[in-house]
Every structure is written in C-alpha cells, then in structure tokens.
Amino acid sequence: MLQNSGLVIGWPNSVGFVAQPPVALLAGAVPTAITSGDIGLDGDLDLVVTMRPSNLQPAINLVIWGNDGSGAFPSGNGFATGPGPVDVAIGDVDHDHDLDLATANWNGDTPDPDADLTILRNDFATGTCCHDFLAGVDDAFATTVAPFSEVSCPRSPLAAWLAPRRDFDGAALSNLGFGHTFMQLPGRIIEATLTLEVTWDGANNLNDRLSLAWDGGVFGPMCWTVPLSQLIDPVGNDISGTVTLDLGSLPGGLDLRPWLNATGMLDVAIEDDTLVDHLHLHLVTSCPGGCSCTEAEAELGLSVTPLVLGGVANFTITGAPPFSITALLVGAGVGCSGFPGLCLNPYIDALAVVMADGSGTATYPITLPTGLLLPPCMLIHTQAVAIDPPLMGMHWSCTLSTYTYAN
C-alpha cells in the first residue's frame, strides 16, 4: 500500500493482513506506482516504486528496495527516469534472463515527447545452468522387469497425508494415492517444467487430481490442484498419457517458481486411481556474473540406468566430439559454481575419465555400494564434460540428479 511518504507492507495471517513497519521513501517524495520482481536474481521479490521527486534529490524518481530474504527491505537504490513517472512495468526486455524496468512518464502541461517512456535495463550479467531431476524409471510401468522397487520419496507431511500410498508403477489397487518430493533444488530458478507419465489402475480415474506443492493450508494442503481430465483428453474411463506442465504458468495462472526458489523442493501428489511411471523436472537457473553455461551450450547428453544399491549403473554421455576426453563429475548439490560451464555446487570429484568413441559416446559403469552409505531415496548429482584436445574446448551437459533404489 502506498502512502504519502512511503509504503506499508502487510503479511497475511489466518484472519487478514498484519502491517509491517513502513518503508520510508526519500524525504519529501510522493510515490506514484509500485511493482515487484526478483531484480537481484536471488530468489526474493524486490520492490520498485516510482515517485514525484523531492526538492532535496530532484534527479531521483525511482527507487529499488532489495529484499533481504526475510521480507524486510533495509535499503533502496535511487535512479532517474523521464519526468513525472506515473506507472512502472517489469519484465525481461532484452532476453538476458534478468528483469528490466519501464516507466510511463507525464510531465503535466510541458510534455516532453522524448521522455514519455523510460526503459532501465538490468546490467546484472547472467549465464544459466540447466538441471534435470529424474524420479522413477521410464520403463512403461514395467513393475516386473527390474528386480528392484521403484520407491517414491515424499517428505513426511505429504507421506502422512497420503498414507497408505503407492510407489512408482504401483500396485493395481484402487484408492491409493501417489506422492513424491523433489528435494535439493537450486535457487534462482527462471524456468521449470514438470513431465509425468500416468495411466489408470483398472478403476475409473476420471475424478483423479494432480496436486503440487504441499503447504498444509486449512482450505487444502496443496498450493495447486487440478483434475487430471483437464490435462489429458480422456478415452472412455481411462486417463492415460504424458502430462507436461510449465510451472511458471500453470493452468489458472499460478507461477510456482517463487515457491520452488523459497523452499528448494517440489511436492507431487496424485489421488487416487492413477499409476505413475516416472517424473522429470527440468530447471533453468540464472547465474550472476555470466559464469555458467547457457542451456544452448549444454551440448552433451547424459543418461543413466537405474541406481540400484549393490548393482552397477551405466552412465552414458552422448554428443561429445569423436575421441575426445570425457569426465563424469559428481557433486553434493547443483547450482552456480563460479567456473564456466560447471553447474554442480559444491563440486566434489570426477568419478571417472574415459575417451569417447568415434560416435562421440562414452559409457561409465559405476558399482553402487549397499548399506547406510547410499540409502534409498538418496539423490546423486552428476554432470558430464568433454574436452576436445586439438582445440581444448570444453563441452557440458545439464546436471542430472537421480534417486537410488533398494534391491
């Protein structure tokens, strides 16, 4: 809410909004418009306010307040626009993955046709990293093919809400919900796509629902819920097929990216006559300083067979220059590293180094231990790199984060 000398922020509670201490503008300035967005690319919403300037600082008529992560705005940076800004818009004008500003200006009886619109470009130089999180095995619901259990891994409140529940592929029993939580997501997410393969379990699943993001609310524990029939064209009594969702623009208009950035996780639930074969969460994150590879530069493909404890998993790199040196890297997490192309953070080690064959393919067989060292539902974060010796160029894959399974 704008007021003569500043703005007032209200945080919601169960009965309404609790006003926070006012954020003071420059002395004598009068606010005219406000908007919000992640200007600093840190996952927090910052505030932008235009104003009629004060006599003390007449050149400043736009201020950006940075969110410190707690919802407080301790300091602002002032900028100049055209005279008399009356409105402000925010968006990525130059497609460089950061948010720019535009103001509409009006100077009363002395209009300046050259100053009706001001565009302030964000020069926060960025690169991007791409990340793939996989859960379940893409095996066409083949529960009897592999000698292991494709367990789903919901966090405790989601598991308690769904109990009893089914795992990936699942038992052919009706009225059992499915749940899984993607954990250890990176921050600064600018694109997020969820893909899932589903089919019915023999019962009528036309009334089944897909829900995302557990928040435990009184009026429903999930942030977003939609009937599966709205996402897949039903055939008879069967809702089967592939669902792909842009989490930045879900049906109904919800943008789930701020939730992902704030919590570092994504809950997925389906009730309750639907089998789930596998889930794929694809993320693109911004990296300040432009130090990491863009998705277009992620030239390598990286795939893996199921990570069965006590067994052998085959990691396969494709798209490398023929006979180049490739390495399979592992990290404790994913995110901006500060090294060009490397999107594991913190980076730990290279599991193996192998020369690609003439088709640009390299395979790494990795034996997985058993026991407490690698329990089920543990995420393994990997990335591939290839070095072309004649040119010493480096080629990267997106990171690949996959879950371990019990034998």
Side-chain angles (χ1 to χ4, degrees):
M1 178 177 66
L2 297 178
Q3 59 184 22
N4 281 344
S5 60
L7 61 139
V8 175
I9 301 168
W11 288 348
N13 63 11
S14 58
V15 295
F17 289 87
V18 178
Q20 303 304 300
V23 177
L25 295 176
L26 301 177
V30 177
T32 58
I34 185 172
T35 190
S36 63
D38 186 7
I39 301 290
L41 297 175
D42 57 1
D44 301 315
L45 288 178
D46 308 303
L47 297 179
V48 181
V49 178
T50 59
M51 65 192 74
R52 294 201 298 270
S54 68
N55 292 330
L56 297 177
Q57 293 180 289
I60 296 177
N61 47 18
L62 181 145
V63 176
I64 300 173
W65 275 276
N67 190 332
D68 67 1
S70 70
F73 303 86
S75 61
N77 294 314
F79 300 88
T81 71
V86 294
D87 202 0
V88 59
I90 190 168
D92 186 6
V93 174
D94 47 8
H95 301 287
D96 62 351
H97 303 292
D98 53 28
L99 293 177
D100 310 300
L101 300 173
T103 64
N105 312 312
W106 184 72
N107 198 24
D109 296 331
T110 57
D112 182 351
D114 296 326
D116 292 341
L117 174 69
T118 300
I119 295 177
L120 299 176
R121 283 192 168 88
N122 191 338
D123 63 359
F124 198 86
T126 60
T128 60
C129 281
C130 55
H131 311 278
D132 290 303
F133 286 74
L134 303 181
V137 179
D138 185 358
D139 58 4
F141 307 93
T143 56
T144 61
V145 173
F148 60 91
S149 174
E150 293 180 37
V151 294
S152 59
C153 306
R155 60 189 177 113
S156 55
L158 180 61
W161 180 56
L162 291 170
R165 71 176 196 279
R166 67 178 87 208
D167 290 320
F168 287 99
D169 301 332
L173 299 172
S174 61
N175 299 317
L176 281 180
F178 165 86
H180 180 82
T181 302
F182 287 103
M183 305 289 287
Q184 300 178 30
L185 303 185
R188 305 179 184 275
I189 295 170
I190 56 177
E191 296 178 20
T193 304
L194 176 67
T195 303
L196 55 156
E197 188 77 22
V198 299
T199 191
W200 69 328
D201 65 0
N204 187 329
N205 69 344
L206 288 175
N207 63 345
D208 279 13
R209 301 174 297 170
L210 168 65
S211 302
L212 301 177
W214 169 277
D215 69 355
V218 175
F219 300 105
M222 306 294 281
C223 289
W224 180 84
T225 299
V226 68
L228 274 174
S229 59
Q230 292 186 14
L231 305 175
I232 305 176
D233 291 332
V235 179
N237 291 329
D238 172 9
I239 298 177
S240 299
T242 301
V243 177
T244 301
L245 295 170
D246 177 359
L247 301 186
S249 181
L250 288 166
L254 178 65
D255 182 355
L256 209 55
R257 290 171 300 179
W259 172 273
L260 303 180
N261 284 319
T263 64
M265 64 184 70
L266 174 65
D267 306 297
V268 181
I270 295 181
E271 306 166 86
D272 55 359
D273 298 308
T274 298
L275 301 179
V276 180
D277 182 58
H278 65 279
L279 304 174
H280 176 194
L281 178 62
H282 179 73
L283 305 174
V284 178
T285 59
S286 63
C287 291
C291 61
S292 296
C293 68
T294 65
E295 190 173 14
E297 293 168 347
E299 301 165 307
L300 305 184
L302 178 60
S303 60
V304 64
T305 57
L307 301 179
V308 183
L309 301 181
V312 176
N314 289 310
F315 289 85
T316 300
I317 299 172
T318 57
F323 308 110
S324 60
I325 300 170
T326 70
L328 179 67
L329 312 179
V330 64
V334 299
C336 304
S337 69
F339 183 84
L342 181 64
C343 296
L344 294 171
N345 188 19
Y347 162 67
I348 296 178
D349 202 356
L351 288 178
V353 177
V354 173
M355 179 175 289
D357 62 19
S359 67
T361 300
T363 300
Y364 297 80
I366 304 295
T367 300
L368 301 177
T370 57
L372 296 178
L373 183 62
L374 283 179
C377 285
M378 180 176 179
L379 268 174
I380 305 297
H381 306 285
T382 55
Q383 189 178 13
V385 61
I387 302 174
D388 191 0
L391 302 176
M392 295 307 293
M394 302 185 74
H395 309 265
W396 297 87
S397 73
C398 297
T399 64
L400 178 64
S401 301
T402 48
Y403 287 84
T404 56
Y405 301 104
N407 195 330

